[in-house]
């Protein structure tokens, strides 16, 4: 008996959006100096590779950034919002406690009825959302999905903590993922380890009409760094194994854009030259769930990533969460 379900999902188009307000390291350092916080362009570049980040205006939410990225992805895919039958937004900085940012995106795109929900896996969020969309398409529950990573991390930064506030920025990236008889997404793998909840978190919560606890980001950078380098190699090898492919078959590694040194470490372990790694962390800092689709779209629009290329997308972040998606573009 032949299955009526599609064998694969494939990326039909990509898009991204960065809010216009761009702060170089020097500009941010000057703003922080006015608060008595000392940092420098030299420290930030040397330790992270970040040169600038974008901050959204106060009245702009993750849904707005996500919609802008989604419109680009729809155009690149040659379809309209009404062709979409599933919307998933990966975000840890939703516009509201509820409804979901995905429901707000749906409303702003002017389409109604299709399922729309958020995935919360912090910096691994896009890899989680892509995996869920791929599974739903292959199960026959959707044919064309909008998968978005969108964040306004500037809202949860403690600008009195130089160890974190220089690292993050705002932005969004999106893909249209559609049913296909040819690959497409080849293999995926997701992980979480709740033992490490405390090393990267925003511990506050809303209760009785008030924010209780600390609503700003806390990170043990060194602990995150150490875990990240280990799990990113492990999950890449595992996904390659599932697909029966070798690391040398990867045309482009598109890792979470948090720190150039983590990306260099992962590439070294996989014996990939840095020329095969898409790096955009210098331009926008760590945009959490938005960073992988931002880097992907940048690689596509700059002409480096071509149709047929094999891509390894890798996320890692709070939870502790991590995962990878291997796909033929
Ligand atoms: O998105 C989820 C994934 N997140 C990540 O992947 C982040 C992973 N971690 C990292 O990227 C790095 O650990 C950081 C970039 C956060 C920190 O780099 P590091 O090389 O681990 O620096 P460190 O924490 O060991 O700090 C070294 C020094 C310290 O001074 P002392 O104690 O040596 O005198 C810090 O106080 O650098 C100091 N420092 C700074 N100096 C200037 C920390 N932040 C700053 C700063 N400017 N912004």
């Amino acid at each position: 008996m032949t299955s009526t379900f599609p064998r694969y999902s494939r990326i039909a188009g990509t898009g991204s959006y960065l809010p216009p307000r761009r702060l170089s390291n020097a500009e941010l350092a000057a703003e922080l100096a006015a608060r008595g916080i000392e940092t420098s362009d030299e420290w930030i570049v040397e330790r992270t590779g970040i040169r600038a980040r974008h901050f959204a205006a106060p009245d702009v939410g993750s849904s707005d950034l996500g919609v802008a990225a989604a419109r680009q992805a729809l155009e690149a895919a040659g379809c309209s919002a009404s062709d979409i039958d599933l919307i998933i937004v990966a975000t840890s900085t939703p516009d509201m406690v509820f409804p979901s940012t995905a429901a707000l995106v749906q409303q702003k795109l002017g389409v109604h009825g299709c399922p729309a929900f958020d995935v919360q896996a912090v910096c691994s969020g896009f890899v989680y959302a892509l995996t869920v969309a791929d599974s739903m398409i292959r199960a026959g529950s959707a044919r064309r999905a909008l998968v978005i990573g969108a964040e306004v991390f500037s809202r949860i930064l403690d600008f009195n903590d130089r160890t974190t506030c220089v690292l993050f920025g705002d932005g969004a990236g999106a893909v249209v993922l559609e049913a296909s008889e040819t690959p497409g997404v080849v293999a995926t793998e997701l992980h979480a380890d709740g033992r490490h909840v405390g090393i990267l978190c925003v511990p506050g919560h809303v209760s009785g009409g008030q924010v209780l606890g600390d609503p700003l980001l806390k990170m043990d950078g060194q602990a995150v760094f150490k875990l990240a380098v280990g799990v990113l190699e492990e999950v890449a090898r595992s996904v390659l194994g599932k697909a029966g492919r070798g690391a040398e078959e990867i045309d482009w590694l598109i890792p979470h854009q948090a720190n150039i040194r983590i990306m260099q470490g992962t590439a070294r372990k996989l014996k990939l030259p840095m020329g095969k790694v898409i790096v955009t962390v210098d331009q926008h800092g760590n945009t959490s769930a938005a960073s992988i689709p931002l880097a992907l779209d940048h690689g596509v629009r700059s002409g480096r990533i071509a149709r047929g290329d094999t891509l390894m997308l890798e996320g890692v972040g709070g939870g502790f969460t991590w995962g990878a998606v291997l796909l033929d573009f």
Side-chain angles (χ1 to χ4, degrees), residues 200-217:
L200 178 47
C201 59
V202 177
H205 63 282
V206 176
S207 177
Q210 290 187 322
V211 176
L212 299 186
D214 194 336
L216 300 176
L217 184 146

Side-chain angles (χ1 to χ4, degrees), residues 39 43 47-48 123 162 221-222 224 256 258-259 261-262 286:
T39 188
W43 190 93
R47 300 292 178 127
T48 71
C123 304
R162 69 175 182 172
Q222 288 192 2
V224 173
H256 170 46
N259 187 320
R261 292 186 292 136
I262 296 178
N286 185 344

Side-chain angles (χ1 to χ4, degrees), residues 232-251:
L232 287 173
E233 183 198 7
E234 216 172 86
V235 75
R237 291 204 183 282
S238 181
V239 163
L240 284 166
K242 280 186 185 176
R245 298 195 189 181
E248 69 287 352
E249 291 175 76
I250 298 171
D251 293 304

Side-chain angles (χ1 to χ4, degrees), residues 178-197:
E178 66 181 17
S180 168
E181 287 313 310
T182 54
V185 173
V186 182
T188 65
E189 189 164 311
L190 302 176
H191 293 277
D193 186 344
R195 284 175 299 181
H196 305 294
V197 162

